[in-house]
């Protein structure tokens, strides 16, 4: 399969994998695949060749992740900022992406066999129409698979993702401004169907996030490695996972604490909204403790129902966008 | 077979912890020795990782020397190819030492960094704002021989309003004390504000974009995003530090803020000065 290299680990690799798996393993790993162009300069080949080798390395890394029982991987393939590059390079990357998605569609049987679900996160409207259509077909075709998940961030920046999430949140009038919470915003992001990444790896020695998953990685383990992406090895991956294991407990503690804080804030917000409601719509008589408790539970339930309806509508909108693209492609 | 793997894994992690502890122990021990050559040799033999062993910590020198240091630090800042406009000090350790943090803040300001943020993920600094402030003023006096707020002045910015812009202009450096509430919670509050504006028909959803959100989340118009975050402690994570603002921030990790020296800070700044930001290109 072109997107996931076939093959198994050798004996030493298998042994190391089994040792690592005795400890806590990340379920979702994110990669910033940096260093393709520097690799091309180093090897004195064309830039485009660097990107092609980068894709091959991705296929190999996905194989390693599956061997290590990591079933969800998110990769930063193309940022909105990358449109600033020369026209030649951008066109080359779009062409590479198109070829890879076309190839993916040819391997549908394999994808079904391995249960691979492909998702593309980003503002697809910024891409050439034919690429949008290929992407839509790949995503729709693998939508129901659920053994492993590959999220490709294409035409993506985290800030756009957050701003778009908000824009749609208010557009439909399906929710009130007081319903907006951290949990709701998380569900509005492109990555709403995935848990937050446990581990974020950036290669090539740069130590920044470059507008990638800023919201989702606030409590993830960050590992910066100096190896260039096309030279990434199984041992680099193991090293990153070891870092994750060393940080596992303190991060778990920080995450739990954050979640508790969130729950408390939500509770307080619900109480404040209820007090507001009673003040405006009540009959002026103060409620006793039991009635107040009941009213609070009712309010919380109605808020959650509103939120569910809203999220359902959002999912429907996203699904329709992709389905419309595929029917356009079919007609063309 | 699973038991064997688990045993090996436990051994591996014990070895890694011992390794980490040894490094910390050596760092503290050898810091107090004058023989740099000796410490370098020992490092090369025993510790596989590269470490920086700072010079002996200076005991309070005479006033003349303090003024000399102030100018030296200022000159150091000017000698760097680039200096961050805004530096974040992320303390990812359980027990903060206020004196060490105050030292870091004073050094950052002496070197010429305009905005300094201090953050921990328990909100301890926020709650103990005044204690931190006292410690900084004390260290300013101690290290730089500056009384009160003669040259360097410290302004605390908490959910700034426009009037604070004027106060900021009169200061050479600005300190911000941050907590997790300044991160995702602020973004949520901005979202609620925009939602209300749409409900009241002041805005449409098309008006909501990155620029609008960015201006809402900016403390004041002049505050830049953090260029550099120095993370102190063993935890490799941002721990909720300003998710919106760190899109292009460089992250440099230092082992601990306890007993940190000026040389530690300066070598991190040198590392920052040599990094290349391509901004997508």
């Amino acid at each position: 399969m072109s997107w996931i290299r076939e093959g198994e680990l050798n004996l030493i690799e298998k042994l190391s994998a089994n040792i690592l798996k005795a400890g806590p393993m990340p379920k979702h790993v994110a990669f910033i695949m940096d260093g393709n162009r520097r690799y091309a300069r180093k090897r004195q080949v064309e830039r485009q060749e660097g990107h092609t080798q980068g894709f091959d390395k991705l296929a190999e890394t996905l194989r390693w992740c599956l061997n290590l029982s990591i079933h969800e991987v998110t990769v930063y393939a193309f940022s909105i900022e990358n449109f600033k590059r020369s026209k030649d390079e951008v066109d080359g990357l779009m062409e590479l992406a198109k070829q890879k998605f076309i190839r993916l569609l040819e391997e549908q049987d394999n994808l079904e066999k391995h249960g691979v679900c492909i998702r593309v996160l980003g503002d697809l409207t910024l891409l050439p129409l034919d690429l949008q259509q290929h992407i839509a077909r790949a995503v729709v075709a693998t939508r129901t698979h659920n053994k492993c998940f590959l999220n490709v961030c294409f035409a993506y920046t985290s800030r756009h993702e957050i701003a778009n999430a908000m824009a749609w949140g208010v557009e439909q009038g399906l929710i009130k401004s007081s319903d907006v919470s951290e949990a709701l915003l998380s569900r509005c992001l492109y990555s709403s169907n995935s848990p937050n990444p446990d581990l974020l790896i950036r290669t090539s020695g740069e130590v920044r996030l470059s507008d990638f998953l800023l919201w989702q990685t606030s409590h993830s383990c960050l590992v910066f490695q100096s190896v260039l992406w096309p030279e990434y090895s199984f041992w680099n991956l193991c090293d990153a996972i070891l870092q994750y294991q060393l940080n596992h407990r303190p991060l778990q503690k920080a995450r739990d604490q954050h979640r508790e804080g969130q729950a408390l804030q939500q509770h307080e917000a619900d109480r404040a909204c209820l007090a507001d409601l009673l003040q405006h719509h009540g009959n002026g008589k103060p409620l006793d403790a039991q009635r107040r408790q009941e009213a609070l539970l009712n309010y919380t339930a109605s808020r959650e129902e509103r939120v569910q309806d809203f999220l359902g509508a959002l999912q429907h909108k996203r699904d329709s966008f992709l389905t419309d693209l595929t029917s356009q492609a079919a007609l063309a | 077979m699973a038991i064997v793997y688990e045993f090996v894994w436990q051994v591996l992690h014990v070895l890694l912890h011992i390794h980490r502890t040894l490094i910390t122990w050596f760092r503290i021990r050898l810091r107090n020795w004058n023989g740099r050559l000796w410490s370098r040799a020992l490092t090369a033999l025993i510790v596989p990782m590269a470490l920086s062993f700072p010079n002996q910590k200076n005991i309070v020198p005479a006033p003349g020397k303090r003024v000399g240091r102030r100018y030296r630090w200022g000159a150091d800042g000017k000698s760097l190819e680039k200096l961050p406009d805004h530096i974040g000090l992320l303390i990812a350790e359980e027990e903060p030492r206020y004196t060490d943090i105050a030292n870091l803040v004073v050094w950052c300001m002496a070197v010429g960094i305009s905005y300094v943020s201090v953050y921990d993920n328990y909100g301890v600094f926020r709650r103990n704002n005044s204690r931190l402030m006292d410690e900084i003023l004390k260290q300013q006096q101690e290290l730089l021989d500056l009384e009160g707020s003669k040259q360097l002045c410290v302004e605390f910015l908490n959910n700034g309003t426009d009037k604070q812009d004027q106060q900021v202009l009169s200061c050479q450096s600005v300190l911000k004390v941050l907590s997790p509430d300044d991160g995702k919670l602020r973004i949520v509050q901005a979202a609620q504000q925009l939602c209300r504006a749409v409900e009241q028909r002041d805005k449409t959803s098309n008006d909501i974009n990155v620029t609008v959100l960015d201006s809402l989340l900016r403390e004041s118009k002049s505050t830049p995003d953090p260029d550099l975050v120095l993370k102190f402690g063993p935890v490799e994570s941002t721990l909720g530090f300003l998710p919106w603002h760190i899109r292009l921030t460089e992250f440099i990790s230092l082992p601990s803020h306890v007993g940190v020296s000026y040389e530690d800070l300066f070598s991190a700044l040198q590392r920052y000065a040599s990094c290349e930001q391509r901004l997508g290109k």
Side-chain angles (χ1 to χ4, degrees):
Chain A
M1 196 169 17
S2 61
W3 281 58
I4 303 181
R5 177 88 67 87
E6 296 290 346
E8 292 296 326
L9 302 173
N10 65 35
L11 189 63
I12 304 179
E13 287 169 351
K14 226 181 253 183
L15 218 65
S16 312
N18 283 333
I19 294 169
L20 274 180
K21 284 200 256 188
M25 289 294 283
K27 297 188 187 54
H28 179 182
V29 177
F31 289 93
I32 301 179
M33 307 180 292
D34 200 7
N36 293 340
R37 293 185 294 177
R38 271 167 282 174
Y39 173 82
R41 267 201 303 274
K42 187 171 152 188
R43 289 293 152 106
Q44 291 171 336
V45 294
E46 288 292 314
R47 233 182 228 182
Q48 189 63 17
E49 176 61 21
H51 290 305
T52 312
Q53 298 233 19
F55 181 85
D56 292 339
K57 184 54 65 176
L58 171 61
E60 209 179 347
T61 307
L62 291 174
R63 161 55 49 199
W64 295 329
C65 286
L66 285 180
N67 292 132
L68 289 163
S69 309
I70 297 167
H71 293 294
E72 185 144 17
V73 173
T74 302
V75 297
Y76 202 5
F78 192 85
S79 161
I80 295 179
E81 301 292 322
N82 293 148
F83 279 114
K84 290 183 204 162
R85 293 185 181 180
S86 67
K87 186 172 182 310
D88 281 341
E89 192 178 343
V90 173
D91 289 345
L93 287 165
M94 294 294 142
E95 189 54 39
L96 177 67
K98 202 166 81 176
Q99 282 166 23
K100 295 303 175 189
F101 277 102
I102 292 174
R103 188 73 198 280
L104 186 81
L105 288 162
E106 289 165 4
E107 294 166 347
Q108 278 208 43
D109 293 336
N110 250 330
L111 289 171
E112 190 154 341
K113 176 173 137 206
H114 288 85
V116 183
C117 173
I118 309 264
R119 297 184 196 126
V120 177
L121 316 182
D123 190 354
L124 300 183
T125 59
L126 297 172
L127 301 171
L129 186 60
D130 56 350
L131 180 55
Q132 285 187 48
Q133 287 166 348
H134 292 305
I135 288 173
R137 282 171 58 206
V139 171
V140 169
T142 59
R143 198 180 266 168
T144 52
H145 302 165
N146 60 6
K147 282 221 205 99
C148 56
F149 302 89
L150 172 62
N151 307 309
V152 182
C153 289
F154 216 86
Y156 172 93
T157 61
S158 201
R159 284 190 175 184
H160 273 86
E161 184 186 32
I162 296 170
N164 276 345
M166 271 190 213
W168 214 81
V170 314
E171 189 185 320
Q172 296 297 306
L174 289 170
I175 45 167
K176 300 200 257 181
S177 57
S178 54
D179 294 338
V180 175
S181 65
E182 193 180 314
L184 179 58
L185 267 181
S186 298
R187 304 285 297 277
C188 292
L189 299 171
Y190 300 134
S191 60
S192 57
N193 293 322
S194 306
N196 288 336
D198 297 303
L199 171 61
L200 170 63
I201 299 170
R202 180 168 189 156
T203 55
S204 89
E206 305 294 352
V207 290
R208 51 184 179 264
L209 296 173
S210 298
D211 224 338
F212 182 58
L213 302 180
L214 301 174
W215 178 277
Q216 297 90 329
T217 57
S218 57
H219 290 87
S220 307
C221 180
L222 302 180
V223 176
F224 297 109
Q225 296 178 299
S226 53
V227 62
L228 298 175
W229 175 252
E231 294 171 337
Y232 204 68
S233 75
F234 178 74
W235 304 109
N236 292 129
L237 183 57
C238 287
D239 180 28
I241 292 173
L242 213 56
Q243 290 300 314
Y244 166 79
Q245 292 182 333
L246 288 170
N247 283 279
H248 176 73
R249 244 188 249 143
L251 282 178
Q252 190 65 49
K253 187 173 156 201
R255 244 179 260 139
D256 289 341
Q257 197 202 7
H258 183 78
R259 212 171 293 136
E260 275 169 29
Q262 247 187 290
L264 213 70
Q265 275 162 9
Q266 183 66 76
H267 190 73
E268 283 308 311
D270 282 348
R271 282 178 62 187
C273 286
L274 180 66
D276 217 28
L277 258 173
L278 291 173
Q279 201 182 20
H280 284 113
H281 302 290
N283 54 10
K285 281 194 286 193
L287 291 178
D288 61 31
Q290 197 192 346
R291 287 257 175 82
R292 191 169 274 272
Q293 191 60 17
E294 272 173 28
L296 187 61
L297 286 170
N298 283 337
Y299 178 81
T300 306
S302 70
R303 175 180 54 73
E304 278 169 7
E305 201 184 316
R306 260 196 313 274
V307 164
Q308 284 310 317
D309 287 343
F310 163 72
L311 291 174
L314 178 61
Q315 189 62 45
H316 180 78
K317 177 190 173 198
R318 287 184 172 153
D319 291 343
S320 311
F321 171 72
L322 291 170
T323 330
D324 288 346
L325 274 173
T326 52
S327 25
Q328 263 180 45
L331 287 171
Chain B
M1 218 35 204
I3 299 176
V4 174
Y5 291 131
E6 206 177 309
F7 175 72
V8 176
W9 185 86
Q10 298 280 9
V11 168
L12 177 64
H13 278 262
V14 163
L15 284 173
L16 283 169
H17 276 114
I18 292 174
H19 182 241
R20 213 188 239 179
T21 316
L22 268 175
I23 287 170
T24 318
W25 186 81
F26 269 115
R27 226 187 101 245
I28 298 170
R29 266 280 189 261
L30 293 170
R31 173 202 298 281
N32 296 325
W33 289 12
N34 260 324
R36 287 189 94 198
L37 213 63
W38 166 241
S39 67
R40 286 259 157 90
L42 216 57
T43 315
L45 280 174
I46 295 169
V47 180
M49 276 164 52
L51 284 174
S52 69
F53 286 95
N55 291 324
Q56 187 176 354
K57 208 177 186 157
N58 289 322
I59 325 154
V60 181
K65 274 219 171 119
R66 270 183 260 169
V67 172
R69 262 192 306 187
R70 192 196 337 154
Y71 286 114
R72 176 166 73 88
W73 290 336
D76 280 344
K78 292 197 178 75
S79 73
L80 289 172
E81 214 171 283
K82 62 177 177 176
L83 204 57
D85 287 326
H86 180 173
I87 190 171
L89 304 172
L90 205 173
I91 314 294
E93 289 173 284
E94 292 281 317
E95 285 177 31
R97 298 272 185 94
Y98 288 85
T99 313
D100 291 305
I101 293 160
N103 284 340
L104 280 166
V105 172
V106 172
W107 289 325
C108 286
M109 291 175 170
V111 144
I113 298 172
S114 319
Y115 293 86
V116 181
S117 296
V118 177
Y119 174 92
D120 77 293
N121 71 317
Y122 294 108
V124 169
F125 295 134
R126 255 292 178 84
R127 287 195 294 277
N128 297 293
N129 229 347
S130 45
R131 185 174 160 194
L132 183 62
M133 174 68 152
D134 290 340
E135 201 62 46
I136 290 170
L137 289 172
K138 181 167 144 233
Q139 289 309 110
Q140 225 178 276
Q141 172 72 10
E142 198 76 20
L143 295 171
L144 304 174
D145 195 25
L146 287 173
E147 274 192 30
S149 49
K150 262 203 194 121
Q151 196 177 3
L152 299 174
C153 105
V154 170
E155 283 287 335
F156 284 93
L157 278 180
N158 293 314
N159 290 340
T161 55
D162 276 331
K163 79 167 182 250
Q164 250 147 353
D165 268 329
Q166 287 159 324
Q167 284 173 299
V168 164
L169 284 170
S170 65
C171 291
Q172 197 170 315
S173 293
V174 176
L175 172 73
K176 290 150 65 84
V177 181
L178 301 171
S179 73
D181 286 347
D182 297 295
K184 284 185 177 175
L185 184 61
R186 276 288 296 127
I187 300 176
V188 170
Q189 286 166 349
Q192 287 172 341
Q193 201 177 326
L194 288 169
C195 238
R196 274 194 295 273
V198 171
E199 273 172 5
Q200 288 156 12
R201 308 251 189 270
D202 285 337
K203 275 191 162 58
T204 66
S205 67
N206 289 331
D207 296 327
I208 299 172
N209 54 36
V210 173
T211 321
V212 165
L213 197 47
D214 195 42
S215 61
L216 263 182
L217 291 170
R218 213 155 274 290
E219 282 271 1
S220 76
K221 294 182 190 59
S222 51
T223 312
D225 287 339
D227 302 297
L228 170 64
V229 162
L230 294 185
K231 192 184 63 60
F232 297 91
V235 185
E236 297 300 329
S237 172
T238 57
L239 293 171
F241 179 85
L242 297 182
W244 178 267
H245 301 79
I246 53 171
R247 71 178 177 117
L248 294 175
T249 308
E250 303 285 327
F251 288 90
I252 294 179
S253 288
L254 291 163
S256 174
H257 73 292
V258 175
V260 68
S261 74
Y262 170 76
E263 280 73 22
D264 291 330
L265 171 66
F266 191 64
S267 56
L269 290 175
Q270 281 174 318
R271 212 179 127 187
Y272 169 78
S274 64
C275 75
E276 184 203 344
Q277 289 233 344
R278 292 175 294 278
L279 301 171
K281 290 203 206 72

